[in-house]
Amino acid sequence: MSQQQRSGRPSSDRLSPSRKKAVIDIRNITKTYKMGTFDLKVLKGVTLKIYPGEFLSIMGPSGSGKSTLMNILGALDTPTSGKYLLDGEDVSQLSEDQLARIRNKKIGFVFQSFNLLKRTEAIRQVELPLIYSTNVRNRSRLAKRALESVGLGQRLDHLPSELSGGQQQRVAIARALVTSPSVVLADEPTGNLDSRSGTEVMQIFQRLNEQQGITTVFVTHDPWIARHTQRVIMLRDGKIIADERVKEPLIAGEVERPSDAEELQGIFEETYYGGDESEYT
Amino acid sequence: MNLSETFRIAISSLLINRMRSALTTLGIVIGVGAVIGLVSLGRGVEAFIAAEFQTLGSNILEISSSQPNSPTRSRIAPLTTIEAADLANPFTAPDIRQIAATYESSGIITAGSERTQAAITGVTANYAEVRSWPVMLGTFITPADVEDTQRVAVIGLDVVETLFGSREANPVGQSIQVNDRSFTVIGVMSERGGSFGISEDGAVIVPITTAQTRLDNARARDGGYLLTRMYVEVIDEEAVEDARQDIETYLNQAHGIIFDDEQDYTISSASDILSIVNQISSLLTVFLVMIASISLLVGGIGVMNIMLVSVTERTREIGLRKAVGARQGDILAQFLMESIMLSFIGGILGIALGWVVSVLVTAFVADLTVTVSPDAVILATGISTLVGVFFGYYPARRAASMKPIDALRFE
Ligand SMILES: Nc1ncnc2c1ncn2[C@@H]1O[C@H](COP(=O)(O)OP(=O)(O)O)[C@@H](O)[C@H]1O
Ligand SMILES: [Mg+2]
């Protein structure tokens, strides 16, 4: 169980990532959509290394290519060009079934819209990735443990309709964790949640990263949420325009979100806050 | 992902849409039920016919006069007692055990104040034995009766009913008038029924000599007497063809026949008639089953339709499954399993429906026993499973080939 191995690793290890092998290593990734007669270049050469144990957020205005990048990182989509090494394995040119194996073994994906199966108990939701992987015994034990790690040990048999939005997202997180993936990718996981549930979910991600050293990549357009991560990537028009460490990551739930939006400005050198809110979804 | 897992997933997704699954299955139920019902009905009818003909005996050949097919010869040389005696001679036809001959006419039968028109069959004493048609009351005509041209009669149950008021009446010892001649009833034939509405229970059976000489003047040119029919009992079933050959050889010579189309007699066996009737009834069965198959086809299209709806409706589910590691084969198997189960369950219920139909038919149609045969069950199960595979493949393929990202983004 790599989850257990990781949890035993001292946290100082994660603070010097340069000496370690990157979990995610993308080089000059591009993504172009053919839109009839013209090409829509969504990613215009993205290069990025993410190291084991990192907790990283990707920010950027709506349409900047965050989801496109996440989908490529999650092996849900393939880049038009560029190289993608996941755990040292080149996954940029794999077949559909090989990608399925990668998604199953190495990636845990958390969606903005939860994407739970309807009318299915929490424990079954979490077991789902395990039924597609070979040689997994004790499916329900693993699923139960994953649900416990997101604080839903008492909700194993609940249906999605019997859970709050925050709880549903926690089921989805448990589902992402259950295979002990190399990296957990979350595309705006708090986007559909109220701020209290959002904080809850942040707490879980932080705790999992802290205690089990789970590498986590997080898309958000909320600078306050981003301040809870260790490193922030800024994306604009399909390019990385900033890649910075957060000076002092906030601990979810410890500090109240400032009600005054003004106060948020100036936290980062580059800021996209202000103007029309709908631009930042 | 293994088979039992696929099975479990399919069951749970079918249960999520209970109503829809049930209605989809109904199409298959009706199709399979119709196929099973009709196959069984066809079999039942065949068995019924076979049983009817079995009473004729499978080692019996029946010779009767018939119009020649030849355009140049239309005269019929009648069958005679001399010919019957020759044929019964082992040197002519070694495979023949015995021959029962009849001379048939009709007449007015009277008993007291009751009168009826009846078929009068003059028979040899071995008639009851050769035709496997025993008497129910009294005795049958004896060789002595034939020898002495006795005025005795054995009558069928229909005649008993007409003349004596009830089928339960015992007329043995009573006197009846046949064409104004007095006959003593010595027996009643057991109920025979008849093929295709022609009942033999209306017969008045008398010694053949009596029929030929007292009721009629049936002298033949060859010095014997005329015959209507000969029932030839062959030593066993395998020898029937040899016996037929011998009979043809003899009769062709006796009647001066050179070409087959000049034959003025017909030799028929129970198996001849049976095979023709069976041909007709199995043709009918095939035809009905083809019609029933159309409803099965419609049921299959229903499955395909619902599976396509289901695939579209569950696009995001498919996307999610792929996102967590389902391969194309897993998705294909899942949807294929669903359609197979829909139609398989439909097949099972359809078999039950067909069974109910056959039980009802058996209960309400006299003499017809309809049973669902195991091969029909296997056929129906196989076909319904194939329907599931065939009509489920396209939707399943469509689900399997979705790109995960497109499926996840589907609204
Ligand atoms: N499948 C697609 N076909 C065409 N254009 C797409 C597709 N997916 C995304 N895009 C376009 O790519 C751009 C970036 O989208 P996305 O990565 O979703 O941005 P973000 O997540 O940062 O809001 C948008 O302009 C969007 O319209
Ligand atoms: Mg997005």
Side-chain angles (χ1 to χ4, degrees):
Chain A
M1 292 300 300
S2 54
Q3 214 169 302
Q4 285 158 336
Q5 288 163 9
R6 277 196 217 132
S7 61
R9 197 155 42 211
S11 59
S12 63
D13 227 24
R14 296 204 303 279
L15 298 175
S16 49
S18 50
R19 267 182 269 127
K20 293 196 301 187
K21 214 157 166 269
V23 182
I24 285 176
D25 182 354
I26 57 172
R27 295 172 195 170
N28 209 18
I29 289 280
T30 70
K31 183 72 184 179
T32 306
Y33 290 111
K34 294 242 181 300
M35 303 290 286
T37 50
F38 74 100
D39 290 351
L40 181 64
K41 287 188 176 161
V42 177
L43 295 179
K44 300 168 180 168
V46 176
T47 299
L48 178 65
K49 277 189 167 134
I50 299 169
Y51 293 93
E54 272 196 299
F55 191 12
L56 171 150
S57 57
I58 299 175
M59 293 190 71
S62 179
S64 57
K66 304 183 297 290
S67 293
T68 304
L69 178 60
M70 286 295 268
N71 293 335
I72 290 171
L73 294 181
L76 292 168
D77 205 354
T78 46
T80 307
S81 70
K83 208 175 173 75
Y84 175 13
L85 301 174
L86 178 62
D87 272 347
E89 184 181 358
D90 189 352
V91 299
S92 37
Q93 305 302 331
L94 293 183
S95 74
E96 183 50 48
D97 278 357
Q98 287 168 317
L99 287 175
R101 185 182 54 84
I102 296 289
R103 291 194 290 270
N104 185 245
K105 296 252 178 296
K106 303 206 163 173
I107 290 159
F109 216 104
V110 178
F111 305 89
Q112 179 173 357
S113 52
F114 319 148
N115 268 327
L116 297 180
L117 296 176
K118 60 177 178 177
R119 285 179 241 185
T120 305
E121 298 92 340
I123 185 127
R124 299 264 170 255
Q125 307 270 7
V126 178
E127 280 178 15
L128 191 64
L130 299 177
I131 69 175
Y132 294 115
S133 53
T134 46
N135 299 326
V136 177
R137 283 166 224 268
N138 300 319
R139 242 179 244 162
S140 52
R141 216 192 65 216
L142 287 173
K144 186 160 173 271
R145 198 195 291 163
L147 278 167
E148 279 162 357
S149 75
V150 298
L152 290 176
Q154 306 304 313
R155 300 279 191 282
L156 302 180
D157 296 323
H158 284 230
L159 302 177
S161 55
E162 299 163 349
L163 295 169
S164 73
Q167 287 170 329
Q168 290 185 49
Q169 192 60 300
R170 276 146 68 187
V171 172
I173 293 168
R175 182 180 64 198
L177 293 173
V178 75
T179 52
S180 312
S182 306
V183 57
V184 170
L185 302 170
D187 192 353
E188 302 199 40
T190 59
N192 280 8
L193 301 177
D194 59 68
S195 65
R196 204 179 59 84
S197 303
T199 307
E200 244 169 50
V201 165
M202 273 315 292
Q203 275 176 326
I204 284 164
F205 274 117
Q206 270 192 334
R207 203 187 64 234
L208 291 169
N209 175 259
E210 200 69 38
Q211 296 175 354
Q212 302 181 21
I214 294 169
T215 314
T216 308
V217 182
F218 208 107
V219 167
T220 182
H221 61 271
D222 183 346
W224 172 255
I225 296 280
R227 281 195 65 188
H228 292 73
T229 66
Q230 299 159 352
R231 179 181 166 196
V232 178
I233 306 279
M234 296 280 192
L235 212 59
R236 184 192 256 170
D237 286 339
K239 280 193 183 125
I240 292 178
I241 54 162
D243 179 351
E244 297 185 14
R245 321 215 100 246
V246 176
K247 278 165 257 163
E248 273 178 60
L250 298 174
I251 295 169
E254 273 194 5
V255 188
E256 279 292 310
R257 173 197 280 266
S259 51
D260 189 3
E262 295 296 314
E263 208 178 301
L264 295 174
Q265 291 192 345
I267 291 170
F268 309 108
E269 286 154 40
E270 292 272 348
T271 179
Y272 300 93
Y273 216 78
D276 187 3
E277 178 96 28
S278 65
E279 219 181 297
Y280 302 96
T281 52
Chain B
M1 196 168 67
N2 61 26
L3 199 64
S4 69
E5 198 62 52
T6 313
F7 194 72
R8 206 180 56 74
I9 293 176
I11 290 205
S12 62
S13 32
L14 290 179
L15 286 181
I16 284 175
N17 287 303
R18 267 166 234 262
M19 190 64 179
R20 181 201 285 179
S21 307
L23 289 175
T24 310
T25 301
L26 194 61
I28 302 289
V29 172
I30 291 169
V32 169
V35 171
I36 288 274
L38 288 172
V39 167
S40 307
L41 201 66
R43 292 271 169 78
V45 169
E46 268 173 50
F48 170 72
I49 293 168
E52 283 285 288
F53 281 95
Q54 215 55 55
T55 60
L56 295 179
S58 53
N59 61 332
I60 305 293
L61 289 170
E62 187 183 321
I63 311 169
S64 55
S65 294
S66 67
Q67 195 67 39
N69 289 326
S70 164
T72 57
R73 178 179 164 138
S74 58
R75 194 178 56 80
I76 301 175
L79 301 170
T80 69
T81 47
I82 307 256
E83 288 168 357
D86 282 347
L87 283 172
N89 183 338
F91 291 107
T92 316
D95 297 314
I96 293 176
R97 180 182 291 147
Q98 59 178 328
I99 296 174
T102 67
Y103 178 75
E104 297 166 22
S105 60
S106 70
I108 304 295
I109 320 294
T110 324
S113 58
E114 302 294 333
R115 286 164 74 82
T116 182
Q117 170 97 25
I120 298 162
T121 312
V123 303
T124 48
N126 59 356
Y127 179 80
E129 182 200 341
V130 172
R131 298 212 60 205
S132 318
W133 187 13
V135 288
M136 190 180 78
L137 289 173
T139 55
F140 196 68
I141 288 153
T142 62
D145 293 335
V146 175
E147 185 82 15
D148 304 338
T149 59
Q150 290 289 345
R151 289 211 300 261
V152 292
V154 179
I155 56 180
L157 274 171
D158 289 352
V159 182
V160 175
E161 188 175 18
T162 326
L163 296 183
F164 300 97
S166 136
R167 292 173 97 82
E168 275 73 51
N170 184 350
V172 174
Q174 306 267 3
S175 169
I176 58 170
Q177 257 64 47
V178 179
N179 289 348
D180 295 332
R181 279 158 217 269
S182 190
F183 279 70
T184 306
V185 176
I186 55 166
V188 175
M189 297 305 284
S190 56
E191 185 163 12
R192 179 74 153 177
S195 315
F196 311 110
I198 305 155
S199 171
E200 294 196 84
D201 294 331
V204 172
I205 296 169
V206 299
I208 188 164
T209 48
T210 314
Q212 285 161 334
T213 60
R214 294 188 178 230
L215 295 174
D216 211 339
N217 184 11
R219 272 262 170 219
R221 289 182 184 203
D222 64 1
Y225 290 89
L226 299 178
L227 291 181
T228 307
R229 224 179 290 275
M230 289 187 235
Y231 294 96
V232 177
E233 185 185 325
V234 180
I235 47 173
D236 60 41
E237 218 173 311
E238 280 72 51
V240 165
E241 277 317 300
D242 290 343
R244 185 197 290 266
Q245 281 299 319
D246 292 339
I247 295 167
E248 281 191 17
T249 308
Y250 171 79
L251 284 179
N252 283 353
Q253 202 229 329
H255 293 193
I257 288 159
I258 297 158
F259 303 106
D260 274 357
D261 65 353
E262 294 175 344
Q263 280 180 349
D264 54 2
Y265 60 90
T266 306
I267 305 171
S268 54
S269 64
S271 58
D272 286 345
I273 305 170
L274 190 60
S275 72
I276 291 169
V277 173
N278 272 348
Q279 251 170 4
I280 295 168
S281 72
S282 56
L283 215 68
L284 203 69
T285 305
V286 166
F287 180 69
L288 290 176
V289 167
M290 265 163 62
I291 292 175
S293 304
I294 292 173
S295 65
L296 195 58
L297 185 77
V298 173
I301 292 169
V303 169
M304 174 134 107
N305 183 31
I306 283 304
M307 290 313 294
L308 282 173
V309 170
S310 178
V311 166
T312 308
E313 204 181 70
R314 285 153 66 192
T315 301
R316 283 176 73 93
E317 176 194 325
I318 295 163
L320 173 74
R321 287 182 185 277
K322 291 195 156 199
V324 300
R327 287 159 307 166
Q328 298 199 347
D330 295 328
I331 301 293
L332 186 79
Q334 178 190 338
F335 281 89
L336 214 49
M337 181 63 91
E338 277 184 35
S339 64
I340 290 173
M341 280 183 53
L342 276 179
S343 49
F344 182 78
I345 292 169
I348 298 293
L349 295 177
I351 290 167
L353 179 71
W355 179 77
V356 168
V357 166
S358 64
V359 166
L360 289 181
V361 169
T362 305
F364 289 108
V365 181
D367 294 341
L368 198 58
T369 307
V370 180
T371 48
V372 176
S373 60
D375 55 343
V377 170
I378 292 167
L379 190 78
T381 320
I383 286 181
S384 60
T385 309
L386 277 181
V387 163
V389 174
F390 186 81
F391 289 102
Y393 185 79
Y394 173 70
R397 183 74 252 163
R398 206 150 106 164
S401 58
M402 280 181 190
K403 286 177 72 180
I405 188 62
D406 296 337
L408 277 169
R409 227 189 254 131
F410 183 82
E411 293 297 336

